[in-house]
Amino acid sequence: MDLVTLDDIRAAAALLDGIAVRTPLLRFDDHLRLKPENLQPIGAFKIRGAYNAIARLSDDARERGVVAYSSGNHAQAVAHAARVFGVPAVIVLPDSAPAVKIDATRALGAEVVLVPVEERESRAHALVEERGATLVPPYDHPNVIAGQGTVGLEIVADAPDLAIVLTPVSGGGLLSGVATAVKALRPDVKVVGVEPELAADTAASLRAGRLVRWPTADRSRTIADGLRAEPSELTFAHLRAHVDEVVTVTEAEIEAAVALIARRARIVAEPSGAVAVAAHLRSPTPGSVAVVSGGNIDPALFTRLTEVR
């Protein structure tokens, strides 16, 4: 299986110049800086991979349109990139997705299809067959992984004292790309994935040395709705090759991190985007950078998590 390379990631960075925001590193405490990908145009890092994938489609493929399935952030990223290129987009979302993510995807001009969470992928593949469209998966594609890897390029460039990178992991596209870039440029830096205890299939898989599948119902228990997917063979190969460790955090730790990020860094993180900070708070390490992967949180939930108790 061919893995994404540093050259692939650098090529993606060239395509994304002027499209994705080159997010800064923000000081969080004496040991940690944040990489605030919630500041991207669609509120999450996903724009990097989606744009890189759609930009590389042929004119014929663009004319026939794209299909994606998502928990919400990839949906907005594909819709945004498709609108830039004038490409028809159909997005399959779970009917349990936060309304803020569903509404934002529709507002970007995409057709939205809502299904039970366990039917997302099968419905997307059926739509591809029906419409002759191209599937833009949320993580299981080299161009998507390469686009997400540009986050790692920027971290290395901006943090000469870098010792550890903490990155959320779900399907594994972001962690695969970041780890590939970081290890190619700074093999001494530790790369750590972070996932909820209630959706800890990646940690279980790395311990077992093979993919361990958790039932959808189990993974759906976590408040971190963007971290309910599971790695593919492609992303798992990257994780095994480049990631030092995957750690898990509790629901209480995730909720506390959302509130602390808001108060200390003055930015909005959704629960999925806060897990890396949650891991840091448990075990602070000098020279750390945590990727805040997104900020598309339901306003009522954000109010509840950040209210002063």
Side-chain angles (χ1 to χ4, degrees), residues 170-193:
S170 180
L174 175 63
L175 182 57
S176 293
V178 168
T180 298
V182 171
K183 287 298 187 179
L185 294 167
R186 290 285 308 276
D188 58 306
V189 170
K190 187 176 183 180
V191 179
V192 177

Side-chain angles (χ1 to χ4, degrees), residues 57-176:
L57 294 178
S58 67
D59 290 342
D60 178 63
R62 290 181 191 170
E63 186 174 339
R64 287 184 279 112
V66 296
V67 172
Y69 60 90
S70 170
S71 60
N73 286 336
H74 180 64
Q76 294 171 71
V78 171
H80 177 89
R83 186 170 69 172
V84 170
F85 288 102
V87 174
V90 183
I91 314 295
V92 182
L93 284 165
D95 51 19
S96 58
V100 64
K101 296 184 178 181
I102 296 172
D103 293 344
T105 303
R106 286 188 173 130
L108 287 164
E111 177 185 345
V112 172
V113 177
L114 298 177
V115 298
V117 64
E118 64 274 9
E119 296 178 17
R120 286 183 310 167
E121 293 187 42
S122 60
R123 180 66 67 87
H125 284 285
L127 286 166
V128 166
E129 291 297 318
E130 291 170 12
R131 304 190 183 199
T134 298
L135 182 70
V136 181
Y139 49 86
D140 190 29
H141 195 285
N143 291 338
V144 173
I145 293 171
Q148 320 304 27
T150 58
V151 173
L153 285 184
E154 294 172 10
I155 291 172
V156 170
D158 293 346
D161 60 340
L162 186 64
I164 181 171
V165 178
L166 299 152
T167 303
V169 57
S170 180
L174 175 63
L175 182 57
S176 293

